[in-house]
Amino acid sequence: MRIIVQKYGGTSTRNRETRSMMYDNIIDVVNAKNKAVVVVSAMGRYDDPYATDTLLSVVRKKYLNGEEIDRLSSIGETLATLVIKSELASLGYRVASVSNEELGIMTDDSFTCASIEAAEGEAILKKLEEADIVIAPGFQGHNKDHVITTLGRGGSDLSAVAIGAAIGASEVEIYSDVDGIYTADPRIVPRAMRLDMVSYEEMLELSNNGAKVLNHRCVVLAAKTGIKIHCCSSFRPGRGTYVVGEEDMKDINKFAISGITGTQNEARFTLVGVEIKNNVAGNLFKKISEAGVNVNVYNQALTGGGHMDISIITQQEDIDTVLAVINSMKQELQPKRTIVRGNIGKVAVVGLGIRNRQGMFEKVYNTLENNNIHVEMASCSEINISCYIDRNDVNDAQVLLHEAFIENNEED
């Protein structure tokens, strides 16, 4: 029995017209003598009546605890499951639905953004013995006490991959309003090109650096379990993009670089003239971490006389928190000056080809600097070069780097 897991977001489940296109895809699976497990999101977006954000808007959230918020948030997916099951059954197909408990997704107790601890597929597999299609609610699971939890933004992608791994699915198809993964955001880079395949590692870097197509946690789980992801459009036919292990890439991409992404929500802190003593930098990072903030980039420069400059980059939204930490450590750090620079952006160049080619950072750096885009800080890994620049330059930087690495290097 070959099983295909399909996930549909709110733009697909929104109304009868969009659901009819969704049903065509599901029926294609059944007609090909396969079984379909369909993971669905709540119907629509705010302010569609049954969307999750709409449901949350009718309550005073500050008076509800996390468990109560999750109980309310899960209603949209549960409702979508039953609507879609009933409509497909009315077309004459053998359809079953599963409840939260039957999903088999066990999580920790972190309400509103739970982590999956285990996934079991017995209940779904049992229903597939009698049905050709099983409809399952996305975005949710339950903890050890069988209390409903939700998986956070993009949680339905994560649900689909977890279910796919648990039932031994052949692949997981993620349907959305885009027809695959592109070398850049086509709204910013008009000449962006759709990729046939991208590796888990590349997709994770793209997701973590601003690409919106896939939730990064679902990519991590797919890589861990070896589940192939197929990103498709709900609204137009096409080959889409496969996300697979590097060993399955087969040199199918003609680009050394798979993608250019950008974000515009970074901030830089520079502590000038900090005395080198008692691991003060390590203590600073410890305090920042304890405050719930991730340091994205760190740079330390010795300036002589037993002093150093420390620069870090965090998210823009964390400015007040980091400043509070720095101020609480003034006696320990004793910086001569503290410089805070908001409105920082980032542009990232991602691709497996970075690890095997010399001069890649030089090309990124000079492409930007030669076009009057100043690089304030940079970080590099085997497959990612990220440059921190003024946020107002981020879109232009993506266009320039796409032209330099992809449009002018199709046979690289």
Side-chain angles (χ1 to χ4, degrees), residues 30 45 67 93 154 200 210 219 259 262 281 315 336 395 400 408 412:
V30 176
R45 297 286 183 265
E67 182 272 325
Y93 292 91
Y200 297 129
V219 180
Q315 298 298 103
K336 295 178 181 177
N395 288 354
L400 289 165
N408 294 340
D412 196 2

Side-chain angles (χ1 to χ4, degrees), residues 262-266 316 343-346 391-395:
T263 59
Q264 297 175 305
N265 59 345
E266 320 283 335
Q316 174 94 9
N343 298 318
I344 296 288
K346 175 176 66 174
R391 65 178 297 174
N392 294 324
D393 292 326
V394 168
N395 288 354

Side-chain angles (χ1 to χ4, degrees), residues 339-356:
I339 302 168
V340 182
R341 164 90 155 90
N343 298 318
I344 296 288
K346 175 176 66 174
V347 63
V349 177
V350 175
L352 294 174
I354 291 174
R355 65 164 64 117
N356 298 320

Side-chain angles (χ1 to χ4, degrees), residues 244-299:
V244 298
E246 188 176 338
E247 65 278 4
D248 296 322
M249 290 290 290
K250 301 176 183 177
D251 298 323
I252 195 165
N253 287 340
K254 57 186 176 182
F255 311 119
I257 298 303
S258 293
I260 313 290
T261 67
T263 59
Q264 297 175 305
N265 59 345
E266 320 283 335
R268 177 165 60 89
F269 302 82
T270 302
L271 282 68
V272 178
V274 176
E275 190 174 346
I276 303 173
K277 61 178 182 179
N278 301 328
N279 191 27
V280 290
N283 291 337
L284 173 63
F285 300 144
K286 182 175 183 290
K287 297 277 190 183
I288 291 173
S289 176
E290 289 173 348
V293 175
N294 287 324
V295 173
N296 298 331
V297 181
Y298 161 72
N299 182 61

Side-chain angles (χ1 to χ4, degrees), residues 117-139:
E117 294 187 338
E120 299 173 353
E122 289 85 352
I124 292 175
L125 289 171
K126 185 170 182 59
K127 295 209 173 192
L128 285 172
E129 293 175 5
E130 301 295 331
D132 295 316
I133 305 165
V134 171
I135 313 297
F139 175 62

Side-chain angles (χ1 to χ4, degrees), residues 91-105:
L91 298 175
Y93 292 91
R94 299 193 306 165
V95 191
S97 69
V98 291
S99 65
N100 175 280
E101 189 75 21
E102 292 170 320
L103 270 177
I105 294 178

